[in-house]
Amino acid sequence: MATREKNINFEQRVKDIIGEIKGYGFGMLNDMIDPQYVDCDPEKKTVKVKYRKFKWEDNGRGEVHGGVISAMMDTTMGINAIALTKGSVSTADMTISFLKPFRGKSFIIESEAVQVGERVIRLIAKAYDEESGKCLAMSTGSFMHVNYEHPEGKQLGV
């Protein structure tokens, strides 16, 4: 497959996965955090996703709650893993280091696959404040390939 065609296929797959997430409807966490496609690179195995800050995500200090940040990281790495493997995945483990509070209006999460194996995909992710560009958190995650029947209307394994 030509590089240009591979790039287009990977980008379309990432966009389709995000579209499927948005099809969940309000009430599902992945949909509520509202992932927005920014960029991807199949050669570097990277995906960038934007998340806006919503009031419901705040902790008592007006910063994004750590659980929501973890969901953003997990979702972005999961999108990357699914797009790269063309199959369903499930989070096996994840660690996160919170470096600075998430106080901005929007954030960019960049995920990079560092190992794509037959059974496990290992990724890293970094979260940046979109306006300042400062790195706010870093995460690592392992995702396992899973085979299961998809619920009606779900095809991409998210």
Side-chain angles (χ1 to χ4, degrees):
M1 177 183 311
T3 302
R4 181 168 160 28
E5 184 180 337
K6 181 180 178 183
N7 291 353
I8 291 169
N9 289 342
F10 183 73
E11 180 179 4
Q12 188 58 55
R13 186 146 174 84
V14 170
K15 289 178 178 178
D16 288 348
I17 294 164
I18 292 171
E20 186 172 302
I21 289 169
K22 292 180 175 302
Y24 287 168
F26 191 78
M28 300 291 286
L29 181 59
N30 284 353
D31 178 55
M32 290 173 63
I33 60 177
D34 194 28
Q36 305 286 324
Y37 174 81
V38 174
D39 193 19
C40 65
D41 185 333
E43 302 302 320
K44 294 180 181 177
K45 300 181 199 140
T46 59
V47 169
K48 288 184 186 176
V49 178
K50 176 180 176 173
Y51 297 90
R52 294 177 292 143
K53 183 179 178 200
F54 296 101
K55 182 67 179 157
W56 69 265
E57 299 171 336
D58 284 356
N59 62 20
R61 294 180 304 281
E63 304 158 355
V64 178
H65 186 282
V68 175
I69 296 166
S70 297
M72 292 174 184
M73 300 293 246
D74 183 47
T75 299
T76 304
M77 289 188 288
I79 290 166
N80 197 359
I82 295 166
L84 286 167
T85 62
K86 299 180 181 165
S88 298
V89 300
S90 183
T91 309
D93 64 56
M94 190 175 115
T95 62
I96 188 164
S97 296
F98 302 100
L99 307 174
K100 297 180 187 296
F102 280 54
R103 294 186 180 130
K105 295 178 183 173
S106 57
F107 314 99
I108 303 293
I109 312 289
E110 181 173 7
S111 165
E112 177 185 358
V114 294
Q115 180 186 23
V116 180
E118 289 182 34
R119 299 180 81 190
V120 177
I121 305 99
R122 298 190 196 300
L123 302 103
I124 58 173
K126 293 182 180 178
Y128 300 91
D129 181 280
E130 186 177 33
E131 188 174 314
S132 72
K134 291 183 180 178
C135 185
L136 305 177
M138 298 179 354
S139 183
T140 61
S142 298
F143 291 73
M144 295 175 28
H145 295 276
V146 293
N147 292 316
Y148 61 90
E149 289 193 29
H150 298 285
E152 178 106 15
K154 308 293 187 233
Q155 299 300 316
L156 298 171
V158 292

